[in-house]
Amino acid sequence: MTQPTLDPAEIAKFSALAAQWWNPKGPFGALHRLNPVRLGFIRDTVLRHFATASRHALAGLKTLDLGCGGGLVSAPLARMGAELTAIDASEEAIGAARAYAAQAGLAIDFRCASAEALVAEGERFDLVAALEIIEHVADANAFLAAAQALVKPDGLLIVSTINRTPKARALAIVGAERILKWAPEGAHDYDKLVTPDEIRAGAAAIVWEEPVGIVYNPIGAGWSLSSDIDVNYIMAGVKAR
């Protein structure tokens, strides 16, 4: 049976680039540069919600990296102490992720699987991170339904993506892909971008905090958190008990 969240064209697109995941100057270079801001947000949100006392912020937390690609987020989450499962629909991406984790000595359960397959298996997590993945699935609402089902009551769901706004079209697609070449041209389809309101509606069992923008300052500062959610944003919410 076809998995409702999987988009074969998107999977093929990123599978073809799998050997480049860990090249900071390659097609995923922008994600490498974005990583410290995303990870800082996750760490701070976890510390605030779970009142974690350990120096390893995610110690003891059963965590899912949903749509992990080559493991750019998985590896640091594991280093933060997470009991980590990481899934992606691309066998090639999972292969790249496993190879990096083995070389780095990280214990991560990488699986080539879909969110709905994990739901069917009865898997549940304290923390689910779905970063830069919802804009690449076949059905955003089905994906969000599966993502929220994977969160334990009082657990966290964190989503980051690109907003569907004219500004995002200009900067994240025309600017980043076609002019600056920060991402492969065609990496994003404007019509598949998702707004914060659509995330709230698609995962209504989550009590969402306000979204936080992630902006780029070309004059030295690089990526940082912001009140401007017109292009990139990240949002966290708690599964209702």
Side-chain angles (χ1 to χ4, degrees):
M1 186 175 72
T2 301
Q3 301 279 8
T5 65
L6 302 188
D7 185 327
E10 293 280 354
I11 296 166
K13 181 193 308 179
F14 289 98
S15 293
L17 298 169
Q20 296 294 318
W21 269 105
W22 285 95
N23 177 5
K25 296 183 178 179
F28 300 109
L31 292 181
H32 283 263
R33 296 187 291 275
L34 192 59
N35 238 12
V37 175
R38 301 189 298 178
L39 292 163
F41 179 92
I42 292 172
R43 180 182 182 279
D44 291 348
T45 302
V46 165
L47 288 172
R48 184 176 71 247
H49 179 67
F50 291 106
T52 305
S54 169
R55 68 185 183 89
H56 293 104
L58 274 59
L61 295 181
K62 187 178 179 184
T63 301
L64 174 66
D65 184 3
L66 178 52
C68 66
L72 298 190
V73 171
S74 309
L77 291 181
R79 292 188 178 107
M80 284 192 230
E83 178 189 326
L84 187 63
T85 299
I87 69 169
D88 199 273
S90 165
E91 288 275 11
E92 291 82 357
I94 288 293
R98 284 179 178 147
Y100 179 87
Q103 172 266 324
L106 298 172
I108 301 171
D109 179 13
F110 285 110
R111 307 182 198 175
C112 186
S114 66
E116 54 268 36
L118 288 194
V119 173
E121 292 169 14
E123 291 274 22
R124 299 296 182 269
F125 299 86
D126 300 300
L127 168 65
V128 175
L131 309 186
E132 275 63 51
I133 180 62
I134 191 170
E135 67 269 29
H136 299 295
V137 303
D139 185 327
N141 284 329
F143 178 82
L144 287 164
Q148 73 175 3
L150 289 166
V151 182
K152 294 179 182 179
D154 200 43
L156 283 171
L157 175 58
I158 297 178
V159 176
S160 65
T161 188
I162 301 171
N163 209 343
R164 193 174 67 255
T165 65
K167 186 175 176 180
R169 187 199 293 271
L171 297 182
I173 296 179
V174 176
E177 294 182 15
R178 301 175 193 171
I179 299 173
L180 296 174
K181 306 298 183 183
W182 281 0
E185 190 164 343
H188 298 100
D189 179 343
Y190 180 78
D191 292 332
K192 293 181 73 172
L193 302 183
V194 181
T195 70
D197 284 345
E198 288 166 344
I199 288 177
R200 291 188 189 97
I206 304 295
V207 181
W208 290 101
E209 298 177 357
E210 288 300 308
V212 177
I214 303 177
V215 299
Y216 182 75
N217 182 345
I219 312 299
W223 293 99
S224 62
L225 297 179
S226 166
S227 60
D228 181 356
I229 63 167
D230 285 348
V231 185
N232 294 82
Y233 68 94
I234 189 166
M235 57 194 295
V238 177
K239 176 80 167 281
R241 286 184 180 275

